[in-house]
Amino acid sequence: MTPLRCAFVVWIGWLRHFDAAAAWTSRTAWSPGFRSSRDVATGCAAAPADAKSDAVAAVTGVTLKVALDANGAAADRAANESLRFTCGEALDMVHRLRCCSDAVLVGRGTVQADNPSLTVRRTPCDRQPLRVVLDPRLELLRQKTDQGARFALLEDGLTTVVYHTVPDLDEDSLNLLETITVVYVPPTKPSGDNVPHGDYLSAATLTRDLRDRFGVNHLMVEGGPLTARQFLYEHQVDRVILVHASLCFRQPLESGLTEKVLVDAGLEKLGTEPCGVDQIEYWSRPELPWPTTELSKWP
């Protein structure tokens, strides 16, 4: 074999080796459940298999997800119990979003009405997000202690943080699991007519404390309309995923999440995409691009 032919064969073999290595790197970097070092640091899950060509940007900030009926109502007063009303594809999206998040936050009312676990179950995920509950007067923990109420968040042994405004709390009286952490935050006097009054937990204070104390870079707010409006009124929301189910409630409970509320919160509508039989509205701060070029590719 001439020196020139030998060099050509070596060059072809090197190219084949490079192509194989590149293909392996691409497979592992975007397989469900795999996280690069950047993804671990930011709390951004790997992209789904069908999004390989649309790399997911590092996701930080606050993502608000709310489910409404076709007319924008939050719940059905005629229902005897709280039931899931969005389609399976929308529920899959919610679990992917949880997997993309360092923490998932809800208010006390959501826990009492739905008794959620807030865990990732419908998509591969290498760790569960931190669960965060806003319970100013610690009513959930008191109901558990005094009345034997059963809430999944407080019994399943996974890490949960409960924010409250009760000073000089005797934690021993609550009989907490080791996985439950209660954090005192002084109540903030709200400004304006559109925010809830009483023992108010500032959304700005909460997001800052979650970042500094627990390392939460991407927070998913999955609470009801009251918690959603709280974060919106304080301009703490970076993007919104608004799921509109295909059904209409018989006795609708209005959510108060109008387009004006979202616009006043500094958000703009990016578009609407189908998700199974439901529709999803995507909103974001004008200066913040969506994590993927195609809206439906994330989460």
Side-chain angles (χ1 to χ4, degrees):
M1 181 181 296
T2 65
L4 180 61
R5 179 176 176 81
C6 181
F8 179 78
V9 170
V10 170
W11 179 68
I12 289 296
W14 179 84
L15 282 180
R16 288 175 177 171
H17 172 77
F18 177 82
D19 287 343
W24 181 87
T25 301
S26 176
R27 265 197 320 273
T28 56
W30 295 114
S31 297
F34 178 87
R35 295 172 187 270
S36 69
S37 59
R38 185 186 72 170
D39 290 335
V40 171
T42 60
C44 178
D50 61 354
K52 292 180 182 178
S53 62
D54 196 3
V56 177
V59 180
T60 58
V62 176
T63 301
L64 170 65
K65 170 262 163 186
V66 181
L68 306 171
D69 79 344
N71 295 321
D76 192 347
R77 298 179 189 271
N80 294 325
E81 59 180 320
S82 178
L83 298 174
R84 178 175 64 85
F85 55 88
T86 55
C87 68
E89 291 86 347
L91 186 59
D92 290 340
M93 179 276 297
V94 170
H95 282 254
R96 292 195 300 270
L97 181 55
R98 289 178 184 172
C99 188
C100 283
S101 305
D102 298 313
V104 181
L105 181 147
V106 296
R108 172 187 56 81
T110 295
V111 177
Q112 288 181 315
D114 302 338
N115 193 18
S117 68
L118 301 182
T119 56
V120 181
R121 302 181 300 279
R122 295 173 67 101
T123 190
C125 195
D126 56 9
R127 59 94 178 96
Q128 293 294 336
L130 177 71
R131 286 96 55 91
V132 181
V133 180
L134 309 186
D135 188 7
R137 303 304 302 170
L138 291 175
E139 295 177 49
L140 297 175
L141 292 172
R142 297 189 193 282
Q143 288 178 31
K144 179 179 184 296
T145 302
D146 300 337
Q147 305 170 21
R150 304 181 67 88
F151 300 111
L153 285 164
L154 305 178
E155 297 181 349
D156 61 11
L158 298 177
T159 307
T160 303
V161 175
V162 181
Y163 280 95
H164 67 92
T165 62
V166 180
D168 303 321
L169 174 68
D170 179 12
E171 294 188 18
D172 292 336
S173 66
L174 298 174
N175 192 26
L176 299 173
L177 294 179
E178 292 184 357
T179 52
I180 308 297
T181 301
V182 292
V183 178
Y184 169 74
V185 177
T188 302
K189 183 178 180 180
S191 59
D193 298 328
N194 293 322
V195 294
H197 292 263
D199 297 307
Y200 183 72
L201 289 166
S202 165
T205 299
L206 293 170
T207 54
R208 183 170 56 251
D209 190 78
L210 283 168
R211 182 187 65 241
D212 296 343
R213 189 190 302 261
F214 299 102
V216 173
N217 292 311
H218 181 213
L219 173 65
M220 174 187 179
V221 176
E222 196 176 342
L226 183 63
T227 301
R229 294 199 303 270
Q230 176 179 345
F231 275 78
L232 289 167
Y233 289 140
E234 291 191 43
H235 289 239
Q236 293 300 304
V237 177
D238 295 292
R239 61 190 71 81
V240 177
I241 297 175
L242 207 58
V243 182
H244 286 279
S246 58
L247 55 79
C248 296
F249 294 140
R250 290 176 293 167
Q251 296 181 21
L253 174 66
E254 297 302 324
S255 67
L257 298 175
T258 63
E259 288 203 3
K260 182 179 186 306
V261 168
L262 296 173
V263 171
D264 288 347
L267 302 164
E268 69 174 5
K269 187 176 180 179
L270 303 180
T272 302
E273 297 284 344
C275 183
V277 296
D278 299 337
Q279 295 287 323
I280 297 182
E281 289 183 24
Y282 299 88
W283 293 72
S284 180
R285 288 192 288 106
E287 70 276 13
L288 182 68
W290 199 252
T292 52
T293 54
E294 293 184 46
L295 295 176
S296 60
K297 292 294 186 181
W298 185 87

